[in-house]
Amino acid sequence: MKNISIMIKPASSLCNLSCEYCFYEDVSSKRAMSSCGVMKRETANKIIDNVLSCLNDMDAVSFVFQGGEPTLAGLPFFLHFTEEVEKKKGSVLVNYAIQTNGILIDKSWCRFFKSNNFLVGISQDILPEVHDKYRKDTNGSDTYERVNAARKALLSYGVEYNILSVLTNDLAKEPEKVWDYLCRENIGYTQFIPCLGKIEGEKKSCRLNPCSFAGFYSHLFFLWAKAFKAGKYRSIKLFDDLINLLAYGKQTACGITGKCSPQFVVEADGRVFPCDFYALDEYCIGNLACENVEDIYNKAAKSSFITRDDAEADFCCRCPYLKICHGGCLRMRKEVCGFDGENECGYRLFLDNCLPELQQIIHSILN
Ligand code: SF4
Ligand code: SF4
């Protein structure tokens, strides 16, 4: 049975915030057309047709909406999309998820998410002082309180949600406060993505450095492990990914073994890119509004982006984790692994600190 995931950007790179570290604003600014505006309904219909036509009964598809800010496409767009899917899906299993900054979330959105079983990812940097330093609106105003209100609204409507935080050096200094917050607010699932430098050009001052990565995750890991052993499991994506890899041989994060896997990142005009971090004109692999999924997937697997031969850093050759890591995700190598002349790998430092305890936990899970 097939199980595919299609990431859709219904509002392209449009956003109602102006976060200092936005990687999509950076990457889209390198394209001939940085934003292609809001997805037309005809484009959405064709995408739905092309996706569903490659699936049989009991196959599954996840439509994952991202941006920019996807809610800028408007609730009527999403109502149309889900109604079209409902009309056409037959016995195909359909899941929905959305990553949002929360600014537009109100009761109507909450009702919509609940009635269509959306999993909602809220972008929130956990601590108000860190969030408001980087996540300003287009007028330069703070946004933490508005995002927190959106999170509480989702909670009150029983919408399943999780938190996506950007790991800046500022947030990395506060693992205890982060853990306290996750426990206090009972956040079941959290993902941290490294604050990335620009795809090319000068370093951003907020860019995560490998030592901050290692310090944050090592400290957080021991807090997490203590709770885990006391029977209180809380999902932190990096720890889950490592358990999936080391215990079951499953890759649940792109790049965790140093290889890019082709993804379907669909811009508002239907163009498809193999990776969200590299949605650049030169890597466009087709258009899902006029080509079928299999043809695009075949092009993705052969695309110059996926098949390129890229080397690990010299220090990887001497690393005991080379076989499981191979330099990790291409886009995060500078921030996490120090591939920028730092000569110190944050992932290696983290594994040095935490792998023995993680292996004990894996042993207990498997037995
Ligand atoms: S750059 Fe990272 S996220 Fe993108 S395809 Fe490669 S490994 Fe995956
Ligand atoms: S040095 Fe870092 S990036 Fe290289 S193999 Fe080791 S853990 Fe991976």
Side-chain angles (χ1 to χ4, degrees), residues 253-256 258-263 274-278 305-306 308 328-332:
C254 190
I256 195 166
K259 293 249 178 313
C260 292
S261 332
Q263 300 158 33
C275 172
D276 200 14
F277 294 131
Y278 290 92
F305 173 71
I306 297 294
R308 78 195 176 280
C329 165
L330 174 75
R331 183 66 173 94
M332 298 179 188

Side-chain angles (χ1 to χ4, degrees), residues 27-228:
V27 72
S28 61
S29 73
K30 304 284 184 287
R31 300 193 301 235
M33 190 169 53
S34 63
S35 168
C36 30
V38 170
M39 182 177 280
K40 295 190 174 90
R41 292 187 183 194
E42 309 85 76
T43 308
N45 294 349
K46 287 177 189 161
I47 288 171
I48 292 166
D49 290 343
N50 282 330
V51 170
L52 291 176
S53 70
C54 86
L55 299 172
N56 296 313
D57 287 355
M58 307 318 286
D59 284 345
V61 55
S62 298
F63 290 109
V64 180
F65 297 95
Q66 277 212 10
E69 172 50 36
T71 59
L72 288 177
L75 192 47
F77 170 87
F78 281 86
L79 285 164
H80 172 79
F81 193 100
T82 47
E83 280 163 13
E84 277 293 300
V85 170
E86 195 54 36
K87 267 194 274 171
K88 295 172 174 171
K89 74 182 170 79
S91 299
V92 170
L93 308 171
V94 178
N95 298 302
Y96 293 109
I98 186 168
Q99 186 63 42
T100 172
N101 62 33
I103 296 296
L104 293 181
I105 303 303
D106 61 9
K107 290 176 185 173
S108 314
W109 280 101
C110 290
R111 279 194 287 268
F112 168 77
F113 291 145
K114 182 68 186 167
S115 60
N116 290 281
N117 278 326
F118 268 61
L119 171 63
V120 179
I122 285 274
S123 303
Q124 186 189 32
D125 290 350
I126 298 186
L127 307 179
E129 62 276 22
V130 177
H131 181 105
D132 283 334
K133 181 170 174 185
Y134 296 108
R135 300 188 70 83
K136 302 280 190 194
D137 68 15
T138 48
N139 297 318
S141 301
D142 293 348
T143 59
Y144 184 86
E145 288 308 327
R146 282 177 273 169
V147 178
N148 212 31
R151 184 181 68 78
K152 288 184 175 162
L154 292 169
L155 191 61
S156 71
Y157 277 81
V159 177
E160 201 184 339
Y161 79 94
N162 56 48
I163 288 200
L164 179 86
S165 286
V166 175
L167 186 59
T168 50
N169 293 318
D170 297 275
L171 194 66
K173 285 181 196 141
E174 305 291 356
E176 293 211 17
K177 285 189 190 171
V178 167
W179 182 251
D180 284 351
Y181 178 88
L182 300 183
C183 297
R184 193 173 63 245
E185 299 294 332
N186 198 21
I187 309 292
Y189 176 96
T190 311
Q191 177 176 7
F192 299 94
I193 58 162
C195 179
L196 298 171
K198 287 191 185 259
I199 198 161
E200 56 194 40
E202 84 279 17
K203 282 188 188 178
K204 271 190 205 164
S205 57
C206 59
R207 190 182 93 171
L208 185 70
N209 67 55
C211 284
S212 294
F213 173 92
F216 175 77
Y217 270 120
S218 300
H219 203 130
L220 191 68
F221 174 79
F222 286 109
L223 296 166
W224 174 88
K226 191 171 166 204
F228 182 90

Side-chain angles (χ1 to χ4, degrees), residues 234-361:
R234 201 170 288 288
S235 172
I236 303 285
K237 180 146 176 37
L238 177 66
F239 307 154
D240 287 357
D241 289 337
L242 277 166
I243 290 172
N244 283 329
L245 182 68
L246 300 174
Y248 309 112
K250 280 200 313 202
Q251 292 178 32
T252 47
C254 190
I256 195 166
T257 59
K259 293 249 178 313
C260 292
S261 332
Q263 300 158 33
F264 266 71
V265 179
V266 186
E267 256 292 353
D269 57 359
R271 283 186 305 156
V272 181
F273 299 91
C275 172
D276 200 14
F277 294 131
Y278 290 92
L280 297 164
D281 291 330
E282 60 264 42
Y283 295 133
C284 177
I285 45 172
N287 191 312
L288 195 50
C290 49
E291 291 172 82
N292 71 44
V293 171
E294 263 138 34
D295 288 349
I296 298 177
Y297 185 84
N298 289 335
K299 282 198 267 175
K302 290 182 199 144
S303 81
S304 57
F305 173 71
I306 297 294
T307 56
R308 78 195 176 280
D309 190 18
D310 61 309
E312 296 123 14
D314 287 346
F315 55 74
C316 289
C317 308
R318 303 182 298 279
C319 174
Y321 312 118
L322 179 63
K323 283 206 175 115
I324 59 167
C325 168
H326 286 285
C329 165
L330 174 75
R331 183 66 173 94
M332 298 179 188
R333 286 177 161 182
K334 292 178 184 163
E335 294 76 11
V336 174
C337 305
F339 276 43
D340 198 18
E342 311 233 8
N343 267 332
E344 184 101 85
C345 173
Y347 195 51
R348 179 177 175 166
L349 288 172
F350 161 70
L351 290 173
D352 281 346
N353 291 335
C354 302
L355 193 57
E357 176 116 8
L358 184 64
Q359 279 168 332
Q360 279 180 21
I361 288 176

